[in-house]
Amino acid sequence: MTTIPDPISPPDSTPAARTPLGPDDFDALDQALDAMREHDEEIPQWEFCEGFMAALICTRRPILPSEYWPVLLGDSFSSAQHMEFVWNWKRRWIEIEEGLDAPVETLDDERSWQPEVLDTRGAIASLPEEERAEVAGEAIPSFAQVWALGFMYAVENWPEDWAEPRDKDAARMLNDALDNIVALTEDDTGKPTLSMYSDDAPPSVSQQRLDDFGAAIWAVYDLRQLWKSLGPKAETIRKEAAPGRNDPCPCGSGKKYKKCHGAT
């Protein structure tokens, strides 16, 4: 049901393509996006891209690279000019697919998929006081908020492919799952009780936020299985009405249909 992210990427069967990304790989993705942002300030952070990719993997219809690259990275994005970025994108795509398709019952399972998200508030809270003062008053995203915004950005850009199925139970499953992801697009207003940035960092994430994050992960699992079970949306085939027997023949002969192509 999914699409190969880019034709210049190696096939899925290559061992290198199935190697999970490490810290250096994610740093390379960040650096590539930083370089693109020098020419286009609208280029998003990787966390947004991560959410966007997860939605593409769950979308009912395979979305081709020619469709999603301009939406995510602008019309000027060229795969040939950003081969390392596309290569790492491909590897992360495969990693997410395998995690979502694994028969896991708990997110503690090493096979489970875990979004690459940031606790930006926790990182800032760990800075020296003078450095924290430099960002005082700025809007700092909550834990996993940017990821959820990236996911919903993909959903909103392909609404027909995320339309409710006719089956009521399937429609309810779709809406419940999307509601769980939308919850993360909101600000975390609960009392901070823990930090996802570091064990010894000041609290920056509420327990409710952590619970919502877990629910959102399971929601993505549900969406992946929902669309896989339903399959691609069937296209309606419209048959043009045949001309009347006394109408002009559509072939352009000037004869009546019954005397031309409608003759029996």
Side-chain angles (χ1 to χ4, degrees):
M1 184 181 72
T2 54
T3 177
I4 296 176
D6 196 276
I8 70 170
S9 299
D12 291 4
S13 59
T14 60
R18 294 184 175 277
T19 304
L21 297 187
D24 291 343
D25 299 312
F26 283 113
D27 286 344
L29 287 167
D30 287 331
Q31 291 167 8
L33 292 170
D34 288 343
M36 294 181 216
R37 204 172 294 114
E38 293 179 1
H39 304 283
D40 182 358
E41 61 181 13
E42 298 298 323
I43 297 295
Q45 301 290 333
W46 174 255
E47 184 177 353
F48 188 94
C49 297
E50 173 95 4
F52 187 88
M53 182 192 294
L56 290 178
I57 290 172
C58 293
T59 303
R60 186 171 190 175
R61 174 181 66 88
I63 308 297
L64 298 175
S66 58
E67 292 183 73
Y68 67 68
W69 284 137
V71 173
L72 179 63
L73 299 176
D75 293 331
S76 62
F77 178 81
S78 169
S79 298
Q81 294 177 2
H82 300 281
M83 294 182 67
E84 182 180 8
F85 179 88
V86 173
W87 167 242
N88 284 326
W89 172 278
K90 172 67 171 179
R91 290 170 58 198
R92 182 57 177 164
W93 183 291
I94 295 171
E95 190 176 358
I96 294 176
E97 275 191 329
E98 291 181 344
L100 290 176
D101 292 339
V104 300
E105 296 182 0
T106 171
L107 295 179
D108 292 330
D109 191 315
E110 63 180 11
R111 298 171 299 173
S112 69
W113 162 69
Q114 297 290 335
E116 188 71 16
V117 297
L118 299 175
D119 179 8
T120 305
R121 294 182 179 182
I124 292 175
S126 300
L127 294 174
E129 184 176 354
E130 61 273 14
E131 294 184 34
R132 293 200 307 272
E134 295 178 3
V135 296
E138 294 185 12
I140 308 301
S142 300
F143 175 67
Q145 187 173 19
V146 175
W147 173 86
L149 290 170
F151 192 103
M152 294 309 302
Y153 183 65
V155 173
E156 292 161 2
N157 270 279
W158 288 279
E160 293 184 0
D161 300 301
W162 286 86
E164 285 188 8
R166 293 182 179 180
D167 182 83
K168 291 183 178 180
D169 289 337
R172 187 181 303 109
M173 182 178 179
L174 171 67
N175 289 323
D176 288 348
L178 289 178
D179 285 346
N180 284 331
I181 296 171
V182 169
L184 288 184
T185 67
E186 303 295 334
D187 192 30
D188 180 8
T189 58
K191 179 181 178 181
T193 58
L194 67 161
S195 172
M196 303 301 291
Y197 176 73
S198 173
D199 291 339
D200 56 359
S204 52
V205 179
S206 70
Q207 183 59 51
Q208 182 62 54
R209 187 66 169 195
L210 191 60
D211 293 342
D212 290 344
F213 180 55
I217 294 176
W218 284 123
V220 178
Y221 272 92
D222 288 343
L223 291 169
R224 170 74 168 168
Q225 295 306 315
L226 172 65
W227 292 136
K228 285 183 68 176
S229 64
L230 293 178
K233 188 175 181 180
E235 295 185 7
T236 301
I237 300 176
R238 293 182 175 86
K239 184 177 180 180
E240 294 185 5
R245 289 182 56 76
N246 289 315
D247 291 339
C249 187
C251 75
S253 66
K255 298 179 182 180
K256 290 185 179 181
Y257 180 66
K258 66 182 180 182
K259 295 291 187 179
C260 192
H261 282 78
T264 56

